[in-house]
Structures are given as structure tokens and as C-alpha cells.
Amino acid sequence: MSEAWIIDGVRSPRGKGKANGSLHHIHPQELLGQVLNALRDRVGIDPSEVDDVVMGNGNSVGDHGCDIGRQAVLAAGWPIEVPGVTLNRWCGSGQQAVTFAAMGVQSGQQQLVVGGGVDMMSRWPAEDAPADFAAGNAKLREAFPFVPQGISADLIATLEGFSREDVDAFALRSQERAAQALSEGRFERSVVPIHNPDGTIALDHDEHPRPSTTLEGLAKLDASFAKLGSLVLDGYDTSFDEMCRQVYPQVAAVDHVHHAGNSSGVVDGAAAILVASSDYATAHGLAPRARVVMSGVAGSEPVIMLTAPGAAAQRCLDRAGMTVADVDLWEINEAFATVPMKTIRDLDLDPDKVNVNGGAIALGHPIGATGAMLIQTALDELERRDLSTALVAMCTGGGMGTATLIERI
């Protein structure tokens, strides 16, 4: 089996995911197209030799629809012979895209593949987006009373005994670590500027972090999902909190601890990673930075939804014949504070090795792009610290987790 080598990766800055965000006016096809061209220029490849462009997207409707992976290839001006495909594993989409790129190379069926993703949350939701995870399927909803992800995160906090003070402290640490990383330029290797149609720079830095965050300020924020949890919406027989209690009868009441300050930021962004076979890279003088050692996916109970990163990571390690002790750095997506907190507890991780440059609470979570961004962040930090291995794990909608283990070359 061929090795899948990561040659390089680039990403856009994370733009604020609102109408006044610096990237909002740029079409998502164009945003991803600029990132593809930045990767091409960085590595110096001939795009006509790319076997496929695999892109993750968590929206897949509206201006994110119509196979945005292919449309971005055309928007970038790459040869029309270069194909593109789009996949949706919700928050794990970009990570899954890189995994599929690596699988194509490892199988010997492909030599050069781009994996990554895009989501512009300032353009969410599209008018034709599904109303919930069951997408109007009453039978599925009866079997699994899906609740909004924020309520799932609060359910985790309730079951694990994580207090409001606990999750706020984790959020503050994310902001502090991100502030230090930004001040030291730790993201500069991967971030490329995004340009306006007239050629001027639209954004060249992450604009979501709030380095002035304090515990006192976080404590003043209202819980985001308390009111939603008590509502009975049209088409439902009971409230979301009661749905949680139906599945988890040991819960007397859902403790709503998450808010905008300890949940992932709403942002726009795109990322791309070039994966090549060892034979192709050697023949074309491409210097590898890392190899994809193993990947893993796992499912979990879909009402609590966000508990599978630990299982996916453990599956990844088991198949690689490795243990937690063999991993130098961890990136666990901060969809909500309780997600990495529970994963750290499940795997008995050293918190000082997890999200050392902050995470999505501080930097933002552009859904389909985040997984590819986290792989780049992990690799950049391995090089900065002269370490060897990193594992990236994420939760996703519908009760799943994704994991990728990389090793520096």
C-alpha cells in the first residue's frame, strides 16, 4: 500500500460569520477557488495532474450547493479536466475529505489529490435548508428525538457534571492560548490572504478571537439554549429538554451552561491540503511534511450527538497499533466546551497537549472547512515544537466522530 504524504496545506483566515464579516461578500465558490490557487502556487503543481478535488461542506444547499468542490475548481480557472466532489459529514466534512484523499492515494488508485472544505456561515441558512436532522422524516424523529446541538452539549455537561464555571474556564483558556499563538505568528504558515474582486485584500487574519475575554465577562452571558430547551415547536409533542429526559431518564433537568462565549464561533472559511503518493512526490520533487498514518470514524447515540470523538480517536489509535502515550499533540474541535472536556476525560489526556493554540471557541468553526484547518494547525505546531505525531478528532451532527493521525516526515 502506498503512503499518503501531506505535501502542504493552506487556509483562508476565519472571517466573522455575519453580514458585516470581511468575507461575506465573496461567493463561497470563489473563496474556495482562491484557496485552491494559493495551494497551487505554494507547492508549484500543475493542476492538470490532480486526480480529484475532494471538498467537505456542512450546508450543501443554496450557494454552497451544486457540488461546490467542482464549481470551485472551475472558479479557480483550473483545467476543466480536473474533477471535484463534495461530501457532507457535517462538522467532520473537511477532515473526512482529507481522509478520502489519503485513501485514494493509499489504495494506489490516485496519485495526487486535494482534500479540504469550505463553509461561509454568514450565508446560512439557505431557504431550502432542512429544518432538523430528521429532515421531515417523522418515523426517524420518533426513533431518535433529535435536539439542537447546543442542547446536546448541555446534556453532556449535565451527565458529566461539568459546571458553568468549568466550561467558562475552558473557554477562557482557549482565548488565552489563541491570543498567544496569534501574537507569535503560529498560524502564518498556513493562512493565505483572501482578495476582493478588485485585487485588494479582503482579509489576511482571523477576525473572530476576543483576547480581552475574562471570566467575569463570560459569567455575565445568558445561557444560549435554556429558552429553546423549554419550547415546544411546531410539529413536536414535547420540549427539547423533555426529549433529552426521555432518552436519559436519569437526568432530572438539563443544566444549560453553554453560551456564545464557550461555544464555537460562527465564521466563514476554506482550507485545502495536497496529498500525494510517495512515488509521485519523489518523481516530481515534492517535499513531504507528514504522512497520514490512520483515520477513524465512529457513531454514537444521536440525541446526545457529540460524544464520539473519543471513540473515533481510540479506533484510530488501535488500528495504528498505538496508544494515547504515543501522541505528542491533540486537536479536538471545540464545537462546545464540553466536547473536548469529555474527550480529555474519556481518553485520560494531558490537557497541556490538547488545543495548545486555542480552538474553535476563540478562532471559530467554519463547519466543512474546520477539519482540514485543524490538520494544518497540528502539523504547523509539530514542526514548531519539533515533535512527531498529532491526532485530530471532531464531533459531528447525527452522533458521529472523526479522527486523523498524522506523523511528520
Side-chain angles (χ1 to χ4, degrees):
M1 185 174 69
S2 175
E3 286 195 338
W5 284 0
I6 294 176
I7 305 302
D8 214 334
V10 299
R11 70 169 177 90
S12 75
R14 293 172 171 94
K16 186 166 57 176
K18 296 183 179 180
N20 63 351
S22 297
L23 300 178
H24 172 74
H25 63 289
I26 299 173
H27 195 285
Q29 296 171 355
E30 297 294 331
L31 177 64
L32 182 53
Q34 288 194 40
V35 169
L36 289 175
N37 281 335
L39 181 63
R40 174 203 63 194
D41 296 342
R42 168 78 61 84
V43 181
I45 59 168
D46 178 355
S48 66
E49 296 195 0
V50 173
D51 290 307
D52 205 359
V53 173
V54 186
M55 286 293 140
N57 180 254
N59 193 3
S60 305
V61 294
D63 54 16
H64 289 76
C66 300
D67 186 2
I68 194 171
R70 167 60 173 173
Q71 305 312 321
V73 166
L74 299 177
W78 285 21
I80 60 173
E81 292 79 13
V82 180
V85 64
T86 307
L87 63 91
N88 185 346
R89 201 190 285 274
W90 287 301
C91 298
S93 299
Q95 185 176 20
Q96 189 65 59
V98 176
T99 293
F100 282 167
M103 287 178 174
V105 167
Q106 290 167 331
S107 70
Q109 296 191 47
Q110 296 171 321
Q111 294 287 312
L112 191 67
V113 186
V114 177
V118 61
D119 258 303
M120 296 188 67
M121 299 186 74
S122 67
R123 291 170 173 254
W124 283 34
E127 291 183 0
D128 52 349
D132 60 24
F133 287 105
N137 185 343
K139 182 179 178 181
L140 179 61
R141 185 188 293 168
E142 183 179 354
F144 300 104
F146 294 105
V147 301
Q149 285 192 349
I151 293 175
S152 296
D154 287 340
L155 178 58
I156 293 172
T158 305
L159 290 167
E160 294 290 329
F162 297 139
S163 68
R164 170 68 180 261
E165 291 74 21
D166 293 334
V167 292
D168 281 356
F170 186 94
L172 179 63
R173 186 162 61 249
S174 179
Q175 293 284 359
E176 291 173 341
R177 289 178 173 181
Q180 181 177 357
L182 288 164
S183 69
E184 296 178 3
R186 297 184 191 178
F187 303 130
E188 290 179 0
R189 193 192 194 290
S190 290
V191 174
V192 296
I194 299 301
H195 295 84
N196 295 309
D198 64 3
T200 59
I201 292 178
L203 187 64
D204 61 2
H205 64 279
D206 293 317
E207 66 177 349
H208 186 270
R210 296 177 176 86
S212 61
T213 299
T214 64
L215 279 178
E216 293 75 18
L218 292 172
K220 294 177 181 178
L221 297 176
D222 293 333
S224 296
F225 308 102
K227 183 177 180 180
L228 179 61
S230 64
L231 292 179
V232 180
L233 302 184
D234 290 344
Y236 289 82
D237 297 326
T238 187
S239 70
F240 289 126
D241 280 2
E242 181 57 32
M243 292 179 192
C244 291
R245 290 193 292 269
Q246 289 172 0
V247 180
Y248 295 90
Q250 68 270 41
V251 173
V254 176
D255 186 11
H256 292 286
V257 299
H258 287 93
H259 51 72
N262 57 35
S263 306
S264 55
V266 176
V267 295
D268 299 335
I273 292 175
L274 184 66
V275 181
S277 69
S278 52
D279 289 344
Y280 182 94
T282 301
H284 292 80
L286 300 178
R289 296 177 65 196
R291 61 174 59 86
V292 178
V293 177
M294 187 59 64
S295 62
V297 293
S300 64
E301 197 283 305
V303 175
I304 204 166
M305 196 179 305
L306 309 173
T307 58
Q314 190 62 61
R315 182 171 295 178
C316 190
L317 289 171
D318 290 344
R319 291 179 175 172
M322 298 171 64
T323 68
V324 165
D326 297 317
V327 180
D328 297 313
L329 293 174
W330 294 76
E331 287 288 333
I332 303 170
N333 190 41
E334 296 174 358
F336 301 90
T338 52
V339 176
M341 291 172 67
K342 177 170 172 52
T343 307
I344 289 169
R345 176 178 287 181
D346 288 347
L347 298 177
D348 193 21
L349 304 181
D350 179 354
D352 289 335
K353 294 183 178 182
V354 179
N355 299 358
V356 296
N357 292 322
I361 290 172
L363 296 163
H365 177 22
I367 308 300
T370 302
M373 289 184 173
L374 292 183
I375 292 171
Q376 293 177 35
T377 297
L379 179 51
D380 289 345
E381 191 63 16
L382 286 177
E383 292 176 343
R384 193 183 75 84
R385 298 185 180 215
D386 193 22
L387 297 173
S388 178
T389 59
L391 199 151
V392 177
M394 305 181 69
C395 63
T396 91
M400 293 183 289
T402 54
T404 305
L405 180 65
I406 63 171
E407 180 183 43
R408 281 180 62 201
I409 297 178

